[in-house]
Amino acid sequence: MAAKHAFLLFVFISNTVVGFRWNEWWKDTIVYQIYPRSFMDSDGDGVGDLAGITSRLEYFNDIGVGTIWLNPVYKSPMADFGYDVADFKDIDPIFGTMADFDELISKAHRLGLKLVMDFVPNHTSDQHPWFVESKKNKDSTNRYRDYYVWVDPKKNCSDPPEKCIPNNWVGLLGGTVWEWVPERQQFYLHQFLKKQPDLNHRDPAVQLEIIGVLQFWLEKGVDGIRVDAIRHIYESEDLEDEPINPDYTPIPGERPQYHSLIHNKTADLPEVHELMYVWRRVLDKYSGEPNYRFMATETYDTHKALLPYYGTPERPEADFPFNYVLTQLKRENLSGTKIFELVNDWMKDLPSGKWPNWIICNHDNFRIPHRIGANYARALNVLELLLPGTPKTYYGDEIAMGDIWVTYNESRDPFAKNNPNHWKEYTRDPERSPMQWDRSSHAGFSTTIGDTWLPVNQNYLSGINVADQKADNTSALALYTKLAALRKDAPAFQTNHLKYVVVTEKIFSFLRIPDTPGLNSFLIIVNAGTSESTDDYSAALEEMMLKAEGDTGVIEVSSNMDRNGNLQEMNGISLAAGEALVIKLLI
């Protein structure tokens, strides 16, 4: 017997065109995130590199991915695995050479792939020449004197100057943002590690330097940038303390953490939008048919705080801010209603004419098999790839890769090392393990006779690898490839239409409808519950005036790849826990 349900019929429409213009390629693609250390090692040192990525580019054509995004490969001492940049215009030797990068982008373009780079404008390494010079003195003759945020010790403080920190600001990785430099008798600001001093974007010279970096890579041919840590670019000049967060519960023995404060002085300051507009104009100067240059932004915040990074029609900024709301899904909260809440929050507030995007996993969050459960990995790929907008896949998600585990002594992640008493809560090593290509040594990632930089998950020997899954037409990879083709070929997935159908504690379902009458619509159903659910969808479809012919559809894709092509009556659709169906409606 079908249970009683709420039928939610909200409709959201924008950019509803079938087919995309040359400057909208980023709408018609899957963005695939590559963590370069972990994708493919070409030289046997146990660490992934650019030549390794180049050797695997055909894989993306095989699975229907159109865009690759690289985490940082700039020259770096690797205190934060590349996010501490020592030279913005060079490649770190661990990843290869600039010639390797040139070959990577050349081959990618020959294969019809787009390449997006991480752009890290908020901070540098403390080994960057700008900082080495800036910290020497504060003389007016020092060209780099104001390249970073330097502040005097707090006034009316009776302690030694190095103890008189300017205020209570806390960094992203915990602890104070201030670090004392005796040569200048001043503190510098670092919102991340102390080895990552924040640039001072209020200095026009810094703004010009960063524009020069952007131009350098655009001239190299990169197709877009993902702007890292955008909300942290500016801090309030008044240096006032930030308010205590009343909802934060300290963990005994832990140093002050980022969420202990309300960040009204160090995040999302209005000046950042002026800077974004400047960068947008730089990208536009390099955009000409067919080479539109794309820009996304990265920051973790509420959806309402992220949406302004789209800009306005008069002053455009990002093509979209990366949308991390689905990373909030966990074993404890997964349900149909929770998915609806997260999706609907973004869609109902999406600015007119703007394009959504979806991220479930990345290099900062546990993978689905660990975070929620292995039996939900396929269904959540269905969700991510078939919601309206651009999906972002983290490497290995297409084969349902899981996390590894390492001890504290084996940890590589500075976030874990900085919080030794609670490192298990903070480590990001588990989701950064090497890509699993086949059943050979180190899962085909590396030919090293030693250890890889992080251990390989041993489940590569039980089918969680690309080679095995390519040979299995019911695998997670086969599912992913079929979904990628469907979203590319079916006009219903080339619009921003979204209608919710049945939403319950177990079920989240939605409808994708084409603009052109007479073409197929698709009903997508995800069972996020812990048991089977059988539900009647016919009444909801009839209310939408989309009554299926004979009250029947055809299962285009089932997440287990075992029901494809079956006829399905709308008045009693059953899904197992963790299963998803894509049903083509015969209307």
Side-chain angles (χ1 to χ4, degrees):
M1 170 109 28
K4 184 178 180 181
H5 303 290
F7 298 102
L8 304 170
L9 310 179
F10 305 99
V11 183
F12 307 95
I13 302 173
S14 65
N15 288 339
T16 53
V17 293
V18 176
F20 297 103
R21 297 184 292 273
W22 66 271
N23 60 351
E24 295 179 320
W25 59 260
W26 45 276
K27 296 179 179 180
D28 191 32
T29 191
I30 297 171
V31 177
Y32 187 103
Q33 180 186 358
I34 294 177
Y35 198 69
R37 282 178 162 265
S38 295
F39 195 67
M40 185 67 202
D41 170 21
S42 72
D43 58 8
D45 66 355
V47 181
D49 49 48
L50 292 175
I53 297 169
T54 302
S55 73
R56 295 287 189 177
L57 286 177
E58 287 85 358
Y59 173 65
F60 300 113
N61 284 164
D62 293 344
I63 66 173
V65 164
T67 301
I68 57 173
W69 154 40
L70 303 184
N71 286 122
V73 292
Y74 308 108
K75 188 174 182 180
S76 167
M78 298 294 165
D80 191 20
F81 298 119
Y83 285 98
D84 51 318
V85 180
D87 187 341
F88 285 108
K89 298 179 181 179
D90 201 2
I91 300 296
D92 194 87
I94 199 168
F95 298 122
T97 65
M98 190 61 77
D100 292 328
F101 178 84
D102 291 340
E103 174 56 25
L104 169 62
I105 196 166
S106 176
K107 183 177 178 182
H109 286 165
R110 290 197 303 272
L111 292 173
L113 300 171
K114 302 291 188 181
L115 188 146
V116 172
M117 291 204 44
D118 250 345
F119 179 53
V120 189
N122 181 70
H123 48 264
T124 70
S125 165
D126 62 354
Q127 296 182 32
H128 195 293
W130 299 343
F131 187 75
V132 172
E133 292 300 314
S134 185
K135 70 181 289 189
K136 286 181 178 177
N137 59 64
K138 50 186 175 183
D139 296 346
S140 59
T141 56
N142 184 349
R143 172 187 169 187
Y144 301 98
R145 179 184 65 175
D146 297 325
Y147 268 43
Y148 296 84
V149 181
W150 293 100
V151 174
D152 292 330
K154 191 171 187 176
K155 294 179 180 179
N156 302 317
C157 175
S158 58
D159 291 329
E162 65 270 20
K163 301 292 184 182
C164 296
I165 61 173
N167 53 37
N168 71 340
W169 296 354
V170 173
L172 274 291
L173 304 184
T176 181
V177 301
W178 301 108
E179 186 70 15
W180 179 252
V181 174
E183 296 95 318
R184 287 186 57 135
Q185 290 289 293
Q186 285 183 309
F187 294 92
Y188 69 84
L189 178 121
H190 59 92
Q191 292 220 49
F192 292 84
L193 296 173
K194 68 180 181 180
K195 291 182 173 291
Q196 294 170 288
D198 276 36
L199 285 163
N200 175 21
H201 283 270
R202 298 186 190 280
D203 184 346
V206 170
Q207 292 193 23
L208 289 175
E209 294 273 21
I210 294 300
I211 288 172
V213 170
L214 189 52
Q215 291 171 325
F216 176 85
W217 292 104
L218 291 171
E219 288 168 6
K220 283 280 182 185
V222 300
D223 299 289
I225 58 170
R226 173 264 202 185
V227 185
D228 178 67
I230 184 63
R231 70 187 300 237
H232 307 291
I233 292 283
Y234 287 101
E235 300 78 27
S236 176
E237 293 181 284
D238 63 24
L239 298 178
E240 292 178 355
D241 282 357
E242 292 189 317
I244 302 298
N245 180 0
D247 297 326
Y248 176 75
T249 303
I251 300 176
E254 184 179 67
R255 65 185 187 158
Q257 291 297 309
Y258 188 69
H259 295 298
S260 64
L261 301 178
I262 296 172
H263 299 285
N264 61 351
K265 298 290 182 179
T266 58
D268 298 317
L269 269 64
E271 296 95 320
V272 74
H273 296 288
E274 294 296 320
L275 197 58
M276 285 286 297
Y277 176 57
V278 169
W279 294 340
R280 175 74 269 167
R281 290 173 66 190
V282 172
L283 267 69
D284 286 347
K285 287 181 180 178
Y286 285 83
S287 293
E289 190 169 355
N291 297 317
Y292 177 77
R293 307 306 177 97
F294 162 78
M295 178 164 60
T297 57
E298 179 267 356
T299 191
Y300 290 92
D301 208 336
T302 64
H303 77 281
K304 287 190 175 179
L306 293 178
L307 294 173
Y309 288 95
Y310 280 107
T312 65
E314 297 76 24
R315 300 179 71 82
E317 298 178 27
D319 292 296
F320 50 67
F322 270 179
N323 170 13
Y324 292 104
V325 298
L326 295 179
T327 65
Q328 298 174 36
L329 293 174
K330 296 178 172 59
R331 193 185 311 269
E332 299 77 19
N333 69 6
L334 183 69
S335 69
T337 52
K338 182 63 176 179
I339 295 173
F340 167 74
E341 171 194 320
L342 296 174
V343 171
N344 189 50
D345 278 349
W346 189 273
M347 294 300 292
K348 69 181 173 58
D349 292 328
L350 187 69
S352 176
K354 298 302 181 180
W355 192 253
N357 70 101
W358 307 99
I359 296 170
I360 294 181
C361 295
N362 70 350
H363 63 297
D364 291 331
N365 290 278
F366 293 135
R367 294 181 183 271
I368 290 302
H370 177 93
R371 209 167 84 215
I372 297 176
N375 59 317
Y376 293 94
R378 290 176 177 235
L380 291 176
N381 266 339
V382 173
L383 176 72
E384 185 176 44
L385 266 63
L386 298 186
L387 281 169
T390 301
K392 196 281 297 177
T393 293
Y394 186 45
Y395 78 95
D397 282 353
E398 71 276 18
I399 59 170
M401 264 179 64
D403 291 345
I404 59 167
W405 193 248
V406 295
T407 67
Y408 177 75
N409 289 334
E410 296 170 318
S411 293
R412 306 296 300 272
D413 182 12
F415 201 7
K417 290 182 174 182
N418 281 358
N419 294 279
N421 294 331
H422 302 281
W423 66 275
K424 291 181 181 179
E425 288 87 349
Y426 296 116
T427 182
R428 298 167 297 181
D429 288 332
E431 61 265 25
R432 298 178 177 183
S433 63
M435 180 66 176
Q436 296 165 206
W437 292 103
D438 56 41
R439 288 180 179 246
S440 65
S441 178
H442 303 304
F445 162 72
S446 176
T447 58
T448 181
I449 59 173
D451 295 331
T452 53
W453 84 279
L454 280 174
V456 175
N457 191 321
Q458 292 303 296
N459 66 9
Y460 80 91
L461 293 169
S462 56
I464 311 299
N465 68 73
V466 170
D468 283 359
Q469 293 195 21
K470 274 191 171 183
D472 178 2
N473 61 12
T474 66
S475 68
L477 184 60
L479 167 67
Y480 185 94
T481 304
K482 190 168 182 64
L483 293 170
L486 181 63
R487 73 181 304 277
K488 188 83 171 176
D489 296 338
F493 298 105
Q494 297 170 12
T495 75
N496 216 6
H497 290 302
L498 176 64
K499 289 189 176 186
Y500 306 113
V501 186
V502 171
V503 175
T504 71
E505 277 301 301
K506 292 181 182 180
I507 295 295
F508 176 71
S509 64
F510 57 98
L511 201 61
R512 300 299 310 278
I513 304 171
D515 279 333
T516 304
L519 298 179
N520 293 120
S521 295
F522 293 85
L523 172 64
I524 296 92
I525 310 171
V526 175
N527 184 352
T530 57
S531 61
E532 182 180 281
S533 185
T534 300
D535 305 282
D536 182 357
Y537 292 79
S538 57
L541 293 173
E542 190 168 355
E543 282 190 43
M544 298 177 193
M545 295 181 289
L546 284 168
K547 184 172 176 60
E549 181 180 316
D551 208 24
T552 301
V554 175
I555 297 176
E556 186 76 11
V557 186
S558 64
S559 58
N560 294 323
M561 298 292 282
D562 58 354
R563 299 165 67 179
N564 297 2
N566 291 356
L567 289 177
Q568 176 63 61
E569 293 185 358
M570 296 293 106
N571 61 1
I573 304 179
S574 296
L575 285 83
E579 187 177 15
L581 295 178
V582 182
I583 301 174
K584 180 166 61 178
L585 301 182
L586 305 177
I587 298 174

